[in-house]
Amino acid sequence: MQIKSISNTQDFSGTVLVPVFETNFNNIVPIEFDGITIPSKIFFAKKDSIYLAQKNDHVYLFIGLGKSINYQSLKTIFRRIASKQKEIFSKDVALVVPESFNEQQVEAAISGLMLGTYDLGHYKKKKTHPFLADDFTLHLSSLIDYSQNANRARKIASAQIEALHLVDLPPNTVTPKYLSNWAQQSGKAFGFSVTVFGDEACRINALDAFMAVGKGSDKEPQFVIMQYEPATVSSKTKHVGLVGKGITFDTGGLNIKTAGMVHMKSDMAGGAAVFGAMQLIADLQLPVKVTAIVPCCENAVDNKSFQPSDVIKSYSGHTIEIIDTDAEGRLILADGLSYLIKNYKPDTVVDIATLTGSSVGTFGYECGALFTNNADISSQLQQIGEAIGERLWPLPLWDAYKPDIESEIADVRNWSGKPVAGAITAAKFLEYFTDDHKAWAHLDIAGVAFGDDEFAKSKHATAYGVHLLTKFIENL
């Protein structure tokens, strides 16, 4: 996709997208553009409505935005246009930018158009989306030059589409090795370094909790470490650490899942968010140092699988009593957090994971659960999430929940054994391995990383977290 700026559509030839803010059904003044007149009783730009017209072999698509619109809704509208109106697109498309649009709205619209090219049918014969043709050009019709915002939007959508692929592809394709290979290829393409610990290196480095989870699978665990540095680094350069859960498939282990296992290819969505964010951070060349770790393995059932009542070691040196092998995500995150904080000492740490059904029980599918004792981080993450449609809402980390992870035989246990406060006790478990880091946040995205919407018939990835993490780091 090429993006060009034009001042108007007078000499343009192709498909024209005309976003329009809502007027009124009884408005006597019709909507007019390029000699096309639309009476308000036919189209008055109610949100999600469209009107298709043709003039002089040009196709015009008028897009209703409602009276006002937020970032996420605007992005969804344009994704819908690109996804479901493919037959109207020519090799040249003009987007008429309303005078009232700001830079964020331009970004949302173009990101949406690009996301509309994503198709879940990875193993089906399909036609290439018109936007993905080599000679396709998107023309931005405006007196203001939005090329910089358009380029940013393209990078955001590109990183999100990568995350969609990683989560939606089947687990016999997306193995731990597939993810480590992806990271290495992305690092070379976008400019960040990648170190991968395989089985032997993990043992040498005593990543015992991580190894315990993966030992029931015939697929070698991969502990992926990514490092991005800006062109100029000084003593004032901020350093952020990210950790993402990379369970490529979760059977539950010996505490085998009794429902919903078909969706467990999504259990690496937190890791996918970190992978996508690293691509985007490097692509945008943010002036922040970032170290990211994604422990990748499969929680399978085998005669070598770890089992309930086992006591295992961890990288931190703390011992862990296994109460439930299906509470495995927190084990690999514990080693990821400990390794990151001890060896790289980032100023700020954020981990992200599809960690608990409890967070879904609390918030449904509307937002992720946010845990942190740092008020500034909490406020920043919530504000950014609200602005871009990747919402978060805080839950407490009170020490009143600390007894839920205490063990009589080991330093800590991996599950409380109680059917309540599961997301909170999981967060308290992770907190135990942060060495009291003062700027740590945990994001439980189980309810928002994979779900239902209008863009596919089955549950699928959302790419939640890619933009959120990047924008948070950008605004530190």
Side-chain angles (χ1 to χ4, degrees):
M1 177 192 287
Q2 301 178 62
I3 299 178
K4 294 183 178 180
S5 295
I6 56 176
S7 58
N8 57 61
T9 58
Q10 184 176 351
D11 298 319
F12 174 80
S13 178
T15 306
V16 183
L17 306 180
V18 189
V20 185
F21 283 99
E22 184 176 339
T23 57
N24 188 287
F25 178 79
N26 296 313
N27 197 337
I28 61 173
V29 179
I31 292 170
E32 293 184 318
F33 183 82
D34 273 3
I36 296 174
T37 300
I38 313 172
S40 60
K41 293 189 183 302
I42 296 176
F43 176 79
F44 61 95
K46 185 177 180 180
K47 185 181 177 183
D48 297 329
S49 64
I50 59 173
Y51 181 85
L52 198 60
Q54 184 176 1
K55 180 185 176 185
N56 299 330
D57 295 326
H58 299 336
V59 174
Y60 294 82
L61 183 63
F62 293 83
I63 304 164
L65 303 180
K67 293 181 178 178
S68 63
I69 193 163
N70 61 33
Y71 188 100
Q72 182 59 35
S73 296
L74 188 58
K75 193 172 185 177
T76 300
I77 284 174
F78 278 89
R79 182 178 180 182
R80 183 185 304 125
I81 294 298
S83 176
K84 300 184 179 182
Q85 303 290 335
K86 292 190 286 288
E87 66 279 358
I88 72 167
F89 295 119
S90 59
K91 68 176 183 179
D92 289 286
V93 172
L95 171 60
V96 179
V97 181
E99 291 183 5
S100 60
F101 261 27
N102 57 35
E103 293 179 345
Q104 286 70 39
Q105 288 172 313
V106 172
E107 178 185 288
I110 296 173
S111 288
L113 287 174
M114 282 201 64
L115 284 171
T117 67
Y118 178 72
D119 189 332
L120 198 60
H122 297 292
Y123 296 95
K124 299 175 71 173
K125 291 182 179 180
K126 55 188 177 181
K127 293 182 178 179
T128 301
H129 194 285
F131 288 5
L132 300 179
D134 292 337
D135 59 350
F136 174 79
T137 302
L138 176 65
H139 301 260
L140 296 182
S141 177
S142 174
L143 295 176
I144 300 172
D145 183 5
Y146 286 112
S147 56
Q148 187 173 351
N149 306 102
N151 191 42
R152 176 185 171 87
R154 179 165 47 187
K155 291 177 179 181
I156 292 170
S158 178
Q160 290 177 320
I161 287 172
E162 285 297 314
L164 294 176
H165 276 94
L166 291 177
V167 178
D168 284 331
L169 284 168
N172 59 330
T173 295
V174 180
T175 61
K177 186 64 176 175
Y178 182 99
L179 291 178
S180 65
N181 287 342
W182 183 96
Q184 289 171 326
Q185 291 165 8
S186 182
K188 289 178 182 177
F190 293 94
F192 57 89
S193 63
V194 180
T195 302
V196 179
F197 293 164
D199 190 84
E200 184 178 355
C202 287
R203 294 186 189 284
I204 292 171
N205 283 279
L207 295 163
D208 294 324
F210 171 58
M211 292 297 290
V213 175
K215 69 180 183 177
S217 172
D218 62 349
K219 300 177 179 66
E220 184 183 19
Q222 305 279 283
F223 194 81
V224 182
I225 306 167
M226 297 167 283
Q227 293 175 273
Y228 164 78
E229 288 193 359
T232 303
V233 178
S234 70
S235 59
K236 295 182 179 180
T237 301
K238 294 178 180 177
H239 184 193
V240 179
L242 301 176
V243 181
K245 176 183 172 183
I247 297 290
T248 57
F249 194 79
D250 180 23
T251 65
L254 293 180
N255 289 108
I256 197 163
K257 291 182 182 294
T258 57
M261 202 189 297
V262 70
H263 299 138
M264 285 302 103
K265 66 178 183 179
S266 70
D267 215 18
M268 40 66 69
V274 171
F275 285 134
M278 283 302 290
Q279 173 181 311
L280 183 54
I281 289 161
D283 203 7
L284 294 174
Q285 298 182 8
L286 299 187
V288 181
K289 182 179 177 181
V290 183
T291 303
I293 292 178
V294 182
C296 305
C297 66
E298 189 179 71
N299 186 24
V301 180
D302 185 81
N303 62 346
K304 296 180 181 178
S305 296
F306 74 129
Q307 55 197 10
S309 78
D310 279 356
V311 174
I312 64 173
K313 295 179 181 179
S314 67
Y315 178 80
S316 67
H318 299 303
T319 54
I320 304 169
E321 180 187 9
I322 303 302
I323 304 299
D324 192 333
T325 62
D326 197 19
E328 86 299 332
R330 64 201 69 181
L331 299 176
I332 71 170
L333 290 174
D335 271 3
L337 285 166
S338 296
Y339 192 91
L340 173 74
I341 292 168
K342 179 180 178 179
N343 294 286
Y344 296 99
K345 299 177 175 56
D347 306 314
T348 304
V349 177
V350 180
D351 75 75
I352 182 168
T354 51
L355 205 62
T356 68
S358 174
S359 68
V360 185
T362 303
F363 294 125
Y365 306 101
E366 297 302 320
C367 70
L370 166 63
F371 298 88
T372 181
N373 284 323
N374 187 301
D376 290 338
I377 290 177
S378 180
S379 176
Q380 290 171 35
L381 281 168
Q382 286 180 78
Q383 289 177 18
I384 289 167
E386 186 70 30
I388 65 172
E390 296 186 13
R391 286 177 162 175
L392 290 163
W393 198 255
L395 289 175
L397 277 170
W398 299 329
D399 280 343
Y401 295 101
K402 201 170 183 179
D404 286 345
I405 60 168
E406 291 176 352
S407 167
E408 289 189 318
I409 194 170
D411 293 322
V412 68
R413 60 180 177 175
N414 79 325
W415 184 52
S416 68
K418 300 177 182 178
V420 295
I424 298 174
T425 53
K428 290 299 290 183
F429 179 89
L430 294 179
E431 183 186 42
Y432 189 84
F433 293 89
T434 63
D435 197 27
D436 294 323
H437 199 288
K438 302 305 179 186
W440 162 72
H442 160 57
L443 313 183
D444 189 336
I445 62 168
V448 288
F450 195 78
D452 298 300
D453 62 29
E454 64 185 281
F455 298 107
K457 295 178 181 178
S458 58
K459 290 183 182 293
H460 55 281
T462 66
Y464 182 104
V466 173
H467 195 186
L468 175 69
L469 292 173
T470 304
K471 199 168 180 67
F472 169 71
I473 290 170
E474 185 178 28
N475 286 274
L476 279 175

